mmCIF file of all heavy atoms in Angstrom:
data_model
loop_
_atom_site.group_PDB
_atom_site.id
_atom_site.type_symbol
_atom_site.label_atom_id
_atom_site.label_comp_id
_atom_site.label_asym_id
_atom_site.label_seq_id
_atom_site.Cartn_x
_atom_site.Cartn_y
_atom_site.Cartn_z
ATOM 1 N N ILE A 183 100.400 93.023 96.643
ATOM 2 C CA ILE A 183 101.703 93.381 96.094
ATOM 3 C C ILE A 183 102.106 92.282 95.111
ATOM 4 O O ILE A 183 101.559 91.178 95.140
ATOM 5 C CB ILE A 183 102.772 93.555 97.200
ATOM 6 C CG1 ILE A 183 102.992 92.238 97.947
ATOM 7 C CG2 ILE A 183 102.381 94.658 98.158
ATOM 8 C CD1 ILE A 183 104.101 92.293 98.978
ATOM 9 N N ASP A 184 103.073 92.588 94.267
ATOM 10 C CA ASP A 184 103.424 91.648 93.203
ATOM 11 C C ASP A 184 104.735 90.910 93.445
ATOM 12 O O ASP A 184 104.893 89.773 93.030
ATOM 13 C CB ASP A 184 103.519 92.397 91.869
ATOM 14 C CG ASP A 184 102.226 93.111 91.536
ATOM 15 O OD1 ASP A 184 101.180 92.435 91.489
ATOM 16 O OD2 ASP A 184 102.238 94.340 91.367
ATOM 17 N N GLN A 185 105.676 91.570 94.085
ATOM 18 C CA GLN A 185 106.986 90.959 94.308
ATOM 19 C C GLN A 185 107.438 91.295 95.715
ATOM 20 O O GLN A 185 107.527 92.469 96.076
ATOM 21 C CB GLN A 185 108.002 91.482 93.288
ATOM 22 C CG GLN A 185 109.380 90.840 93.380
ATOM 23 C CD GLN A 185 110.336 91.356 92.319
ATOM 24 O OE1 GLN A 185 109.926 91.971 91.348
ATOM 25 N NE2 GLN A 185 111.621 91.115 92.505
ATOM 26 N N LEU A 186 107.716 90.262 96.517
ATOM 27 C CA LEU A 186 108.157 90.454 97.898
ATOM 28 C C LEU A 186 109.662 90.208 97.969
ATOM 29 O O LEU A 186 110.155 89.173 97.515
ATOM 30 C CB LEU A 186 107.422 89.488 98.823
ATOM 31 C CG LEU A 186 107.717 89.606 100.318
ATOM 32 C CD1 LEU A 186 107.341 90.978 100.847
ATOM 33 C CD2 LEU A 186 106.980 88.510 101.090
ATOM 34 N N VAL A 187 110.387 91.178 98.538
ATOM 35 C CA VAL A 187 111.848 91.101 98.590
ATOM 36 C C VAL A 187 112.325 91.294 100.026
ATOM 37 O O VAL A 187 111.546 91.621 100.918
ATOM 38 C CB VAL A 187 112.493 92.147 97.653
ATOM 39 C CG1 VAL A 187 112.077 91.899 96.211
ATOM 40 C CG2 VAL A 187 112.136 93.570 98.081
ATOM 41 N N GLY A 188 113.613 91.082 100.236
ATOM 42 C CA GLY A 188 114.179 91.205 101.568
ATOM 43 C C GLY A 188 114.139 92.632 102.086
ATOM 44 O O GLY A 188 113.981 93.598 101.326
ATOM 45 N N GLU A 189 114.290 92.777 103.396
ATOM 46 C CA GLU A 189 114.220 94.088 104.030
ATOM 47 C C GLU A 189 115.229 95.057 103.403
ATOM 48 O O GLU A 189 116.408 94.739 103.256
ATOM 49 C CB GLU A 189 114.479 93.965 105.526
ATOM 50 C CG GLU A 189 114.344 95.279 106.268
ATOM 51 C CD GLU A 189 114.433 95.123 107.773
ATOM 52 O OE1 GLU A 189 114.434 93.976 108.266
ATOM 53 O OE2 GLU A 189 114.502 96.164 108.467
ATOM 54 N N GLY A 190 114.729 96.225 103.026
ATOM 55 C CA GLY A 190 115.580 97.254 102.462
ATOM 56 C C GLY A 190 115.927 97.082 101.000
ATOM 57 O O GLY A 190 116.674 97.898 100.444
ATOM 58 N N GLU A 191 115.379 96.048 100.359
ATOM 59 C CA GLU A 191 115.723 95.770 98.960
ATOM 60 C C GLU A 191 114.678 96.257 97.966
ATOM 61 O O GLU A 191 114.829 96.066 96.765
ATOM 62 C CB GLU A 191 115.944 94.269 98.767
ATOM 63 C CG GLU A 191 117.116 93.707 99.557
ATOM 64 C CD GLU A 191 117.272 92.203 99.405
ATOM 65 O OE1 GLU A 191 116.497 91.608 98.638
ATOM 66 O OE2 GLU A 191 118.162 91.628 100.058
ATOM 67 N N ASP A 192 113.618 96.903 98.451
ATOM 68 C CA ASP A 192 112.520 97.270 97.552
ATOM 69 C C ASP A 192 112.962 98.251 96.473
ATOM 70 O O ASP A 192 112.640 98.072 95.286
ATOM 71 C CB ASP A 192 111.341 97.846 98.341
ATOM 72 C CG ASP A 192 111.743 98.994 99.254
ATOM 73 O OD1 ASP A 192 112.495 98.756 100.218
ATOM 74 O OD2 ASP A 192 111.327 100.141 98.987
ATOM 75 N N ARG A 193 113.697 99.283 96.847
ATOM 76 C CA ARG A 193 114.120 100.278 95.857
ATOM 77 C C ARG A 193 115.080 99.671 94.850
ATOM 78 O O ARG A 193 114.930 99.874 93.632
ATOM 79 C CB ARG A 193 114.770 101.476 96.559
ATOM 80 C CG ARG A 193 115.296 102.536 95.588
ATOM 81 C CD ARG A 193 115.882 103.735 96.334
ATOM 82 N NE ARG A 193 116.438 104.710 95.403
ATOM 83 C CZ ARG A 193 117.696 104.690 94.976
ATOM 84 N NH1 ARG A 193 118.521 103.731 95.417
ATOM 85 N NH2 ARG A 193 118.136 105.603 94.129
ATOM 86 N N THR A 194 116.059 98.915 95.326
ATOM 87 C CA THR A 194 117.036 98.303 94.428
ATOM 88 C C THR A 194 116.365 97.378 93.432
ATOM 89 O O THR A 194 116.651 97.418 92.228
ATOM 90 C CB THR A 194 118.090 97.524 95.239
ATOM 91 O OG1 THR A 194 118.774 98.431 96.109
ATOM 92 C CG2 THR A 194 119.099 96.847 94.326
ATOM 93 N N GLU A 195 115.461 96.534 93.923
ATOM 94 C CA GLU A 195 114.793 95.571 93.039
ATOM 95 C C GLU A 195 113.833 96.269 92.076
ATOM 96 O O GLU A 195 113.708 95.868 90.912
ATOM 97 C CB GLU A 195 114.050 94.525 93.870
ATOM 98 C CG GLU A 195 114.964 93.599 94.650
ATOM 99 C CD GLU A 195 115.867 92.772 93.744
ATOM 100 O OE1 GLU A 195 115.426 92.400 92.642
ATOM 101 O OE2 GLU A 195 117.015 92.513 94.144
ATOM 102 N N ALA A 196 113.155 97.311 92.557
ATOM 103 C CA ALA A 196 112.239 98.039 91.672
ATOM 104 C C ALA A 196 113.007 98.753 90.564
ATOM 105 O O ALA A 196 112.583 98.763 89.395
ATOM 106 C CB ALA A 196 111.417 99.037 92.477
ATOM 107 N N LEU A 197 114.133 99.362 90.906
ATOM 108 C CA LEU A 197 114.950 100.023 89.888
ATOM 109 C C LEU A 197 115.523 99.013 88.903
ATOM 110 O O LEU A 197 115.608 99.279 87.699
ATOM 111 C CB LEU A 197 116.078 100.819 90.548
ATOM 112 C CG LEU A 197 115.671 102.139 91.205
ATOM 113 C CD1 LEU A 197 116.817 102.693 92.047
ATOM 114 C CD2 LEU A 197 115.241 103.165 90.155
ATOM 115 N N ALA A 198 115.916 97.838 89.399
ATOM 116 C CA ALA A 198 116.433 96.801 88.501
ATOM 117 C C ALA A 198 115.352 96.336 87.533
ATOM 118 O O ALA A 198 115.615 96.136 86.334
ATOM 119 C CB ALA A 198 116.964 95.623 89.320
ATOM 120 N N LEU A 199 114.124 96.164 88.031
ATOM 121 C CA LEU A 199 113.016 95.794 87.156
ATOM 122 C C LEU A 199 112.769 96.884 86.122
ATOM 123 O O LEU A 199 112.580 96.604 84.928
ATOM 124 C CB LEU A 199 111.754 95.542 87.984
ATOM 125 C CG LEU A 199 110.462 95.309 87.211
ATOM 126 C CD1 LEU A 199 110.583 94.121 86.265
ATOM 127 C CD2 LEU A 199 109.289 95.121 88.174
ATOM 128 N N ALA A 200 112.786 98.131 86.562
ATOM 129 C CA ALA A 200 112.570 99.242 85.638
ATOM 130 C C ALA A 200 113.655 99.310 84.569
ATOM 131 O O ALA A 200 113.378 99.622 83.402
ATOM 132 C CB ALA A 200 112.503 100.559 86.405
ATOM 133 N N GLU A 201 114.889 99.014 84.933
ATOM 134 C CA GLU A 201 115.979 98.983 83.955
ATOM 135 C C GLU A 201 115.739 97.908 82.910
ATOM 136 O O GLU A 201 115.997 98.113 81.713
ATOM 137 C CB GLU A 201 117.323 98.759 84.657
ATOM 138 C CG GLU A 201 117.809 99.932 85.488
ATOM 139 C CD GLU A 201 118.338 101.079 84.647
ATOM 140 O OE1 GLU A 201 118.427 100.938 83.412
ATOM 141 O OE2 GLU A 201 118.668 102.132 85.229
#
Side-chain angles (χ1 to χ4, degrees):
I183 63 176
D184 303 304
Q185 184 178 345
L186 183 61
V187 299
E189 183 173 351
E191 297 177 3
D192 53 294
R193 177 178 177 270
T194 299
E195 292 298 326
L197 284 169
L199 173 58
E201 290 285 355

